[in-house]
């Protein structure tokens, strides 16, 4: 059975993924599936660098503006939605393009989703109470004892994932790392051509990130966060408000940082995100690397995709 061809445009923040995906769609009849955990949220446009209304109207986009910021969107739901969308887009005779920088989504697409125990509300409530008592760092120390492999890959302040790892131990009696290691990987229902936009000079990407953050501020990013705060049902611990930039803006509006400090912290967080994205990308040996700082990276990608599609046609 022939699996459908899907193009994946990956890369760190500010590497030009949206421009590349749109360039392909101008040359080939395609639809774009966003691989971005921030673009799923409505009313979060400036701080997520969401494609413009014109860009969204030019090419069909999916998984953008699909949920309210008060809700959460899981990797499992992303996987289900994406597999359905690939089937639908292919059935329409179009090319699916996956474009974004949320690496845990790409990881799920490439390796399958680990079949771990579901949530237990009672255990989660207990862990929430313990987090208030001993702090997330205290929970992370406990995880280091119970599951050092998982603890090593989680940041000590990542409350959601640290508590999830402890919840799995409480439910199953086994470390999460051991459960994952035993699980067979499921085959992908499509063939993936992975193209990665990466910088030949990290310092130049850092300059881009700084300019992009300043542009967001000029476009009214703080007003966007003010409007979200005025709703009254959002708080900084929600996945939506933990997105890079939003947490720093929220803390600034709470009086925790000056405007200059907020800007600096937002840029630092964006650079740290880019570093994590690049670290993950280096673990994919089969990716095609394009210098995002080159003369015309989008044209290079269009050429590669064209060659691949001609090869497939024959």
């Amino acid at each position: 059975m022939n699996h459908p061809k899907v193009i994946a445009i990956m890369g760190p923040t500010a590497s030009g993924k949206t421009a590349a995906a749109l360039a392909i769609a101008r040359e080939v009849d395609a639809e774009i599936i966003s691989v971005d955990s921030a673009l799923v949220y409505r009313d979060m446009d400036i701080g997520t660098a969401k494609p413009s209304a014109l860009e969204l109207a030019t090419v069909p986009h999916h998984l953008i503006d699909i949920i309210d910021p008060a809700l959460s969107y899981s990797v499992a739901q992303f996987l289900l939605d994406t597999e359905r969308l690939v089937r639908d887009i292919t059935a329409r005779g179009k090319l699916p393009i996956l474009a974004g920088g949320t690496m845990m989504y790409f990881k799920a697409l490439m390796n399958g989703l680990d079949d771990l125990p579901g949530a237990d509300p009672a255990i989660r409530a207990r862990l929430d109470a313990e987090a208030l008592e001993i702090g997330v760092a205290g929970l992370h120390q406990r995880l280091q004892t119970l599951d050092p492999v998982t603890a090593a890959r989680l940041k000590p302040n990542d409350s959601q994932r640290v508590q999830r790892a402890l919840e799995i131990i409480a439910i199953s009696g086994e470390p999460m790392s051991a459960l994952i290691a035993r699980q067979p990987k499921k085959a992908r229902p499509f063939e993936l051509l992975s193209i990665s936009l990466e910088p030949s000079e990290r310092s130049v990407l850092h300059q881009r990130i700084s300019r992009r953050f300043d542009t967001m501020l000029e476009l009214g990013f703080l007003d966007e966060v003010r409007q979200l705060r005025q709703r009254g049902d959002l708080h900084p611990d929600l996945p939506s408000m933990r997105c890079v930039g939003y947490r720093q803006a929220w803390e600034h509006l709470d009086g925790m940082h000056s405007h200059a400090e907020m800007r600096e912290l937002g840029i630092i967080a964006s650079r740290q995100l880019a570093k994590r994205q690049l670290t993950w990308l280096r673990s994919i040996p089969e990716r095609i690397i394009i210098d995002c700082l080159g003369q015309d990276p989008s044209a290079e990608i269009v050429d590669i995709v064209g060659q691949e599609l001609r090869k497939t046609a024959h």
Side-chain angles (χ1 to χ4, degrees):
M1 178 182 171
N2 287 331
H3 289 317
K5 175 75 70 177
V6 176
I7 309 300
I9 306 296
M10 308 179 291
T13 186
S15 60
K17 299 179 291 294
T18 298
L22 288 167
I24 297 169
R26 279 194 290 270
E27 300 294 327
V28 182
D29 200 6
E31 298 187 21
I32 298 170
I33 302 171
S34 169
V35 187
D36 192 303
S37 60
L39 295 190
V40 297
Y41 296 111
R42 291 189 286 270
D43 304 320
M44 293 173 58
D45 303 332
I46 298 171
T48 61
K50 202 167 282 181
S52 68
L54 178 61
E55 289 168 338
L56 292 172
T58 304
V59 180
H61 284 69
H62 304 277
L63 304 188
I64 294 178
D65 288 339
I66 58 171
I67 64 167
D68 186 86
L71 304 175
S72 59
Y73 185 71
S74 68
V75 180
Q77 188 60 54
F78 167 80
L79 203 56
L80 288 171
D81 288 343
T82 298
E83 290 181 358
R84 171 182 53 80
L85 286 164
V86 166
R87 288 194 301 270
D88 293 348
I89 293 167
T90 305
R92 289 193 282 272
K94 297 186 177 186
L95 176 70
I97 302 172
L98 297 163
T102 297
M103 299 309 167
M104 63 179 175
Y105 286 2
F106 276 120
K107 182 181 177 185
L109 286 168
M110 292 175 176
N111 302 327
L113 196 62
D114 301 308
D115 187 18
L116 297 170
D120 185 311
I123 291 172
R124 287 208 168 176
R126 190 189 78 211
L127 288 167
D128 284 340
E130 290 175 0
L132 290 172
E133 186 179 335
I134 64 172
V136 179
L139 292 180
H140 188 265
Q141 286 179 350
R142 184 188 303 168
L143 185 62
Q144 284 178 321
T145 303
L146 299 172
D147 185 355
V149 174
T150 300
R153 66 178 180 81
L154 297 181
K155 291 190 293 184
N157 63 349
D158 190 343
S159 59
Q160 190 176 19
R161 293 189 179 90
V162 168
Q163 288 181 241
R164 173 62 178 150
L166 289 170
E167 177 189 38
I168 287 167
I169 294 169
I171 293 169
S172 68
E174 293 187 77
M176 184 165 81
S177 55
L179 294 175
I180 290 172
R182 283 206 306 270
Q183 291 173 0
K185 297 299 180 187
K186 296 171 185 171
R188 236 184 358 252
F190 47 80
E191 187 183 341
L192 202 60
L193 177 68
S194 300
I195 302 172
S196 181
L197 284 158
E198 300 177 28
S200 50
E201 274 195 66
R202 191 81 62 93
S203 62
V204 180
L205 181 69
H206 287 177
Q207 291 167 16
R208 274 196 191 183
I209 287 170
S210 297
R211 286 197 301 271
R212 178 160 154 173
F213 199 84
D214 285 337
T215 299
M216 288 179 352
L217 290 171
E218 290 165 12
L219 290 171
F221 175 45
L222 284 176
D223 288 334
E224 180 174 272
V225 179
R226 280 191 189 95
Q227 289 177 352
L228 291 166
R229 284 164 60 93
Q230 285 169 4
R231 287 177 33 156
D233 62 337
L234 302 179
H235 56 82
D237 291 326
L238 286 168
S240 60
M241 294 300 105
R242 287 205 304 268
C243 292
V244 168
Y246 285 87
R247 179 188 285 277
Q248 291 77 22
W250 190 290
E251 290 175 349
H252 164 62
L253 294 173
D254 268 346
M256 292 173 63
H257 312 300
S258 69
H259 189 279
E261 289 169 338
M262 176 272 299
R263 175 188 176 273
E264 185 65 22
L265 289 168
I267 290 170
I268 289 170
S270 300
R271 288 177 179 177
Q272 289 171 338
L273 171 62
K275 182 181 179 182
R276 292 194 300 272
Q277 290 166 319
L278 287 166
T279 298
W280 185 85
L281 287 165
R282 285 196 293 270
S283 72
I284 308 170
E286 67 275 17
R287 76 197 189 283
I288 298 168
I289 302 171
I290 300 293
D291 183 5
C292 67
L293 308 176
Q295 190 171 359
D296 194 347
S298 292
E300 287 185 63
I301 291 175
V302 168
D303 186 50
I304 290 167
V305 171
Q307 290 177 34
E308 186 68 25
L309 293 178
R310 285 192 293 274
K311 207 178 355 175
T312 306
H314 296 134

